[in-house]
PDB file of all heavy atoms in Angstrom:
ATOM      1  N   PRO A  21       6.978  21.975  -4.781  1.00  0.00           N
ATOM      2  CA  PRO A  21       5.687  21.587  -4.137  1.00  0.00           C
ATOM      3  C   PRO A  21       5.814  20.216  -3.460  1.00  0.00           C
ATOM      4  O   PRO A  21       6.590  19.332  -3.844  1.00  0.00           O
ATOM      5  CB  PRO A  21       4.781  21.424  -5.369  1.00  0.00           C
ATOM      6  CG  PRO A  21       5.657  21.182  -6.552  1.00  0.00           C
ATOM      7  CD  PRO A  21       6.958  21.886  -6.169  1.00  0.00           C
ATOM      8  N   PHE A  22       4.995  20.009  -2.384  1.00  0.00           N
ATOM      9  CA  PHE A  22       4.906  18.693  -1.735  1.00  0.00           C
ATOM     10  C   PHE A  22       3.974  17.850  -2.601  1.00  0.00           C
ATOM     11  O   PHE A  22       2.866  18.265  -2.997  1.00  0.00           O
ATOM     12  CB  PHE A  22       4.233  18.917  -0.358  1.00  0.00           C
ATOM     13  CG  PHE A  22       4.072  17.612   0.452  1.00  0.00           C
ATOM     14  CD1 PHE A  22       5.103  17.230   1.266  1.00  0.00           C
ATOM     15  CD2 PHE A  22       2.953  16.879   0.315  1.00  0.00           C
ATOM     16  CE1 PHE A  22       4.922  15.977   2.018  1.00  0.00           C
ATOM     17  CE2 PHE A  22       2.765  15.683   1.000  1.00  0.00           C
ATOM     18  CZ  PHE A  22       3.767  15.257   1.881  1.00  0.00           C
ATOM     19  N   LEU A  23       4.494  16.727  -3.010  1.00  0.00           N
ATOM     20  CA  LEU A  23       3.735  15.908  -4.021  1.00  0.00           C
ATOM     21  C   LEU A  23       3.215  14.554  -3.403  1.00  0.00           C
ATOM     22  O   LEU A  23       3.887  13.963  -2.614  1.00  0.00           O
ATOM     23  CB  LEU A  23       4.657  15.617  -5.235  1.00  0.00           C
ATOM     24  CG  LEU A  23       5.145  16.785  -6.023  1.00  0.00           C
ATOM     25  CD1 LEU A  23       6.009  16.324  -7.165  1.00  0.00           C
ATOM     26  CD2 LEU A  23       3.912  17.528  -6.577  1.00  0.00           C
ATOM     27  N   ILE A  24       2.032  14.189  -3.795  1.00  0.00           N
ATOM     28  CA  ILE A  24       1.495  12.926  -3.430  1.00  0.00           C
ATOM     29  C   ILE A  24       1.420  11.997  -4.625  1.00  0.00           C
ATOM     30  O   ILE A  24       0.828  12.378  -5.660  1.00  0.00           O
ATOM     31  CB  ILE A  24       0.131  13.062  -2.743  1.00  0.00           C
ATOM     32  CG1 ILE A  24       0.292  13.871  -1.426  1.00  0.00           C
ATOM     33  CG2 ILE A  24      -0.493  11.757  -2.399  1.00  0.00           C
ATOM     34  CD1 ILE A  24      -0.956  14.069  -0.603  1.00  0.00           C
ATOM     35  N   VAL A  25       1.982  10.811  -4.504  1.00  0.00           N
ATOM     36  CA  VAL A  25       1.977   9.836  -5.637  1.00  0.00           C
ATOM     37  C   VAL A  25       1.202   8.625  -5.116  1.00  0.00           C
ATOM     38  O   VAL A  25       1.587   8.014  -4.133  1.00  0.00           O
ATOM     39  CB  VAL A  25       3.411   9.396  -6.005  1.00  0.00           C
ATOM     40  CG1 VAL A  25       3.377   8.494  -7.199  1.00  0.00           C
ATOM     41  CG2 VAL A  25       4.273  10.623  -6.324  1.00  0.00           C
ATOM     42  N   ALA A  26       0.106   8.310  -5.828  1.00  0.00           N
ATOM     43  CA  ALA A  26      -0.702   7.130  -5.418  1.00  0.00           C
ATOM     44  C   ALA A  26      -0.412   5.986  -6.408  1.00  0.00           C
ATOM     45  O   ALA A  26      -0.555   6.194  -7.627  1.00  0.00           O
ATOM     46  CB  ALA A  26      -2.184   7.528  -5.533  1.00  0.00           C
ATOM     47  N   ILE A  27      -0.004   4.871  -5.881  1.00  0.00           N
ATOM     48  CA  ILE A  27       0.234   3.710  -6.755  1.00  0.00           C
ATOM     49  C   ILE A  27      -0.700   2.567  -6.351  1.00  0.00           C
ATOM     50  O   ILE A  27      -0.654   2.090  -5.225  1.00  0.00           O
ATOM     51  CB  ILE A  27       1.725   3.207  -6.591  1.00  0.00           C
ATOM     52  CG1 ILE A  27       2.637   4.396  -6.943  1.00  0.00           C
ATOM     53  CG2 ILE A  27       1.986   2.067  -7.499  1.00  0.00           C
ATOM     54  CD1 ILE A  27       4.144   4.051  -6.937  1.00  0.00           C
ATOM     55  N   ASP A  28      -1.519   2.189  -7.305  1.00  0.00           N
ATOM     56  CA  ASP A  28      -2.406   1.071  -7.065  1.00  0.00           C
ATOM     57  C   ASP A  28      -2.145  -0.119  -7.994  1.00  0.00           C
ATOM     58  O   ASP A  28      -1.521   0.140  -9.067  1.00  0.00           O
ATOM     59  CB  ASP A  28      -3.892   1.517  -7.241  1.00  0.00           C
ATOM     60  CG  ASP A  28      -4.369   2.487  -6.109  1.00  0.00           C
ATOM     61  OD1 ASP A  28      -4.274   2.019  -4.958  1.00  0.00           O
ATOM     62  OD2 ASP A  28      -4.738   3.579  -6.404  1.00  0.00           O
ATOM     63  N   GLY A  29      -2.643  -1.276  -7.648  1.00  0.00           N
ATOM     64  CA  GLY A  29      -2.426  -2.437  -8.516  1.00  0.00           C
ATOM     65  C   GLY A  29      -2.602  -3.712  -7.712  1.00  0.00           C
ATOM     66  O   GLY A  29      -2.695  -3.691  -6.472  1.00  0.00           O
ATOM     67  N   GLY A  30      -2.680  -4.815  -8.478  1.00  0.00           N
ATOM     68  CA  GLY A  30      -2.910  -6.144  -7.833  1.00  0.00           C
ATOM     69  C   GLY A  30      -1.709  -6.641  -7.071  1.00  0.00           C
ATOM     70  O   GLY A  30      -0.649  -5.989  -7.074  1.00  0.00           O
ATOM     71  N   ALA A  31      -1.812  -7.848  -6.498  1.00  0.00           N
ATOM     72  CA  ALA A  31      -0.707  -8.411  -5.686  1.00  0.00           C
ATOM     73  C   ALA A  31       0.434  -8.685  -6.649  1.00  0.00           C
ATOM     74  O   ALA A  31       0.284  -9.167  -7.774  1.00  0.00           O
ATOM     75  CB  ALA A  31      -1.232  -9.769  -5.108  1.00  0.00           C
ATOM     76  N   ALA A  32       1.649  -8.303  -6.164  1.00  0.00           N
ATOM     77  CA  ALA A  32       2.876  -8.582  -6.903  1.00  0.00           C
ATOM     78  C   ALA A  32       2.935  -7.912  -8.250  1.00  0.00           C
ATOM     79  O   ALA A  32       3.594  -8.437  -9.201  1.00  0.00           O
ATOM     80  CB  ALA A  32       3.192 -10.064  -6.981  1.00  0.00           C
ATOM     81  N   ALA A  33       2.304  -6.775  -8.386  1.00  0.00           N
ATOM     82  CA  ALA A  33       2.324  -5.988  -9.708  1.00  0.00           C
ATOM     83  C   ALA A  33       3.555  -5.176  -9.756  1.00  0.00           C
ATOM     84  O   ALA A  33       3.825  -4.545 -10.779  1.00  0.00           O
ATOM     85  CB  ALA A  33       1.077  -5.186  -9.827  1.00  0.00           C
ATOM     86  N   GLY A  34       4.342  -5.104  -8.677  1.00  0.00           N
ATOM     87  CA  GLY A  34       5.585  -4.290  -8.688  1.00  0.00           C
ATOM     88  C   GLY A  34       5.435  -2.985  -7.886  1.00  0.00           C
ATOM     89  O   GLY A  34       6.322  -2.093  -7.998  1.00  0.00           O
ATOM     90  N   LYS A  35       4.322  -2.853  -7.159  1.00  0.00           N
ATOM     91  CA  LYS A  35       4.113  -1.563  -6.401  1.00  0.00           C
ATOM     92  C   LYS A  35       5.165  -1.250  -5.409  1.00  0.00           C
ATOM     93  O   LYS A  35       5.677  -0.076  -5.398  1.00  0.00           O
ATOM     94  CB  LYS A  35       2.777  -1.634  -5.680  1.00  0.00           C
ATOM     95  CG  LYS A  35       1.540  -1.889  -6.551  1.00  0.00           C
ATOM     96  CD  LYS A  35       0.232  -1.809  -5.793  1.00  0.00           C
ATOM     97  CE  LYS A  35       0.149  -2.799  -4.633  1.00  0.00           C
ATOM     98  NZ  LYS A  35       0.059  -4.238  -4.986  1.00  0.00           N
ATOM     99  N   SER A  36       5.538  -2.232  -4.544  1.00  0.00           N
ATOM    100  CA  SER A  36       6.468  -1.951  -3.498  1.00  0.00           C
ATOM    101  C   SER A  36       7.832  -1.522  -3.995  1.00  0.00           C
ATOM    102  O   SER A  36       8.427  -0.553  -3.518  1.00  0.00           O
ATOM    103  CB  SER A  36       6.584  -3.134  -2.542  1.00  0.00           C
ATOM    104  OG  SER A  36       5.455  -3.159  -1.713  1.00  0.00           O
ATOM    105  N   SER A  37       8.382  -2.253  -4.959  1.00  0.00           N
ATOM    106  CA  SER A  37       9.689  -1.967  -5.481  1.00  0.00           C
ATOM    107  C   SER A  37       9.626  -0.557  -6.095  1.00  0.00           C
ATOM    108  O   SER A  37      10.628   0.240  -5.946  1.00  0.00           O
ATOM    109  CB  SER A  37      10.177  -2.980  -6.508  1.00  0.00           C
ATOM    110  OG  SER A  37       9.863  -4.268  -6.076  1.00  0.00           O
ATOM    111  N   THR A  38       8.579  -0.288  -6.866  1.00  0.00           N
ATOM    112  CA  THR A  38       8.500   0.989  -7.565  1.00  0.00           C
ATOM    113  C   THR A  38       8.420   2.176  -6.531  1.00  0.00           C
ATOM    114  O   THR A  38       9.100   3.136  -6.622  1.00  0.00           O
ATOM    115  CB  THR A  38       7.293   1.046  -8.480  1.00  0.00           C
ATOM    116  OG1 THR A  38       7.364  -0.099  -9.311  1.00  0.00           O
ATOM    117  CG2 THR A  38       7.132   2.314  -9.293  1.00  0.00           C
ATOM    118  N   ALA A  39       7.511   1.944  -5.533  1.00  0.00           N
ATOM    119  CA  ALA A  39       7.307   3.041  -4.560  1.00  0.00           C
ATOM    120  C   ALA A  39       8.606   3.259  -3.771  1.00  0.00           C
ATOM    121  O   ALA A  39       8.984   4.388  -3.505  1.00  0.00           O
ATOM    122  CB  ALA A  39       6.163   2.618  -3.607  1.00  0.00           C
ATOM    123  N   HIS A  40       9.269   2.117  -3.459  1.00  0.00           N
ATOM    124  CA  HIS A  40      10.558   2.234  -2.623  1.00  0.00           C
ATOM    125  C   HIS A  40      11.544   3.034  -3.481  1.00  0.00           C
ATOM    126  O   HIS A  40      12.224   3.950  -2.929  1.00  0.00           O
ATOM    127  CB  HIS A  40      11.053   0.873  -2.271  1.00  0.00           C
ATOM    128  CG  HIS A  40      12.327   0.861  -1.558  1.00  0.00           C
ATOM    129  ND1 HIS A  40      12.361   1.253  -0.221  1.00  0.00           N
ATOM    130  CD2 HIS A  40      13.589   0.678  -1.919  1.00  0.00           C
ATOM    131  CE1 HIS A  40      13.616   1.241   0.170  1.00  0.00           C
ATOM    132  NE2 HIS A  40      14.407   0.908  -0.835  1.00  0.00           N
ATOM    133  N   ALA A  41      11.678   2.731  -4.762  1.00  0.00           N
ATOM    134  CA  ALA A  41      12.688   3.396  -5.564  1.00  0.00           C
ATOM    135  C   ALA A  41      12.352   4.945  -5.718  1.00  0.00           C
ATOM    136  O   ALA A  41      13.228   5.761  -5.661  1.00  0.00           O
ATOM    137  CB  ALA A  41      12.721   2.727  -6.984  1.00  0.00           C
ATOM    138  N   LEU A  42      11.098   5.215  -5.896  1.00  0.00           N
ATOM    139  CA  LEU A  42      10.669   6.670  -5.969  1.00  0.00           C
ATOM    140  C   LEU A  42      10.962   7.363  -4.717  1.00  0.00           C
ATOM    141  O   LEU A  42      11.346   8.549  -4.705  1.00  0.00           O
ATOM    142  CB  LEU A  42       9.232   6.790  -6.430  1.00  0.00           C
ATOM    143  CG  LEU A  42       8.865   6.255  -7.788  1.00  0.00           C
ATOM    144  CD1 LEU A  42       7.347   6.200  -8.010  1.00  0.00           C
ATOM    145  CD2 LEU A  42       9.506   7.167  -8.911  1.00  0.00           C
ATOM    146  N   SER A  43      10.672   6.685  -3.583  1.00  0.00           N
ATOM    147  CA  SER A  43      10.871   7.331  -2.258  1.00  0.00           C
ATOM    148  C   SER A  43      12.325   7.682  -2.039  1.00  0.00           C
ATOM    149  O   SER A  43      12.676   8.751  -1.567  1.00  0.00           O
ATOM    150  CB  SER A  43      10.260   6.450  -1.220  1.00  0.00           C
ATOM    151  OG  SER A  43      11.126   6.095  -0.260  1.00  0.00           O
ATOM    152  N   THR A  44      13.244   6.794  -2.456  1.00  0.00           N
ATOM    153  CA  THR A  44      14.699   7.003  -2.325  1.00  0.00           C
ATOM    154  C   THR A  44      15.074   8.151  -3.258  1.00  0.00           C
ATOM    155  O   THR A  44      15.838   9.077  -2.855  1.00  0.00           O
ATOM    156  CB  THR A  44      15.455   5.744  -2.717  1.00  0.00           C
ATOM    157  OG1 THR A  44      14.916   4.651  -1.963  1.00  0.00           O
ATOM    158  CG2 THR A  44      16.918   5.852  -2.464  1.00  0.00           C
ATOM    159  N   ARG A  45      14.630   8.107  -4.477  1.00  0.00           N
ATOM    160  CA  ARG A  45      15.085   9.127  -5.493  1.00  0.00           C
ATOM    161  C   ARG A  45      14.600  10.532  -5.153  1.00  0.00           C
ATOM    162  O   ARG A  45      15.413  11.465  -5.329  1.00  0.00           O
ATOM    163  CB  ARG A  45      14.458   8.661  -6.823  1.00  0.00           C
ATOM    164  CG  ARG A  45      14.641   9.586  -7.948  1.00  0.00           C
ATOM    165  CD  ARG A  45      15.585   8.894  -8.920  1.00  0.00           C
ATOM    166  NE  ARG A  45      15.294   9.399 -10.255  1.00  0.00           N
ATOM    167  CZ  ARG A  45      15.220   8.647 -11.329  1.00  0.00           C
ATOM    168  NH1 ARG A  45      15.355   7.328 -11.263  1.00  0.00           N
ATOM    169  NH2 ARG A  45      15.011   9.142 -12.525  1.00  0.00           N
TER     170      ARG A  45
END
Side-chain angles (χ1 to χ4, degrees):
F22 179 90
L23 297 178
I24 296 184
V25 183
I27 303 185
D28 289 302
K35 302 185 300 293
S36 284
S37 315
T38 305
H40 179 76
L42 292 171
S43 123
T44 307
R45 175 112 151 224

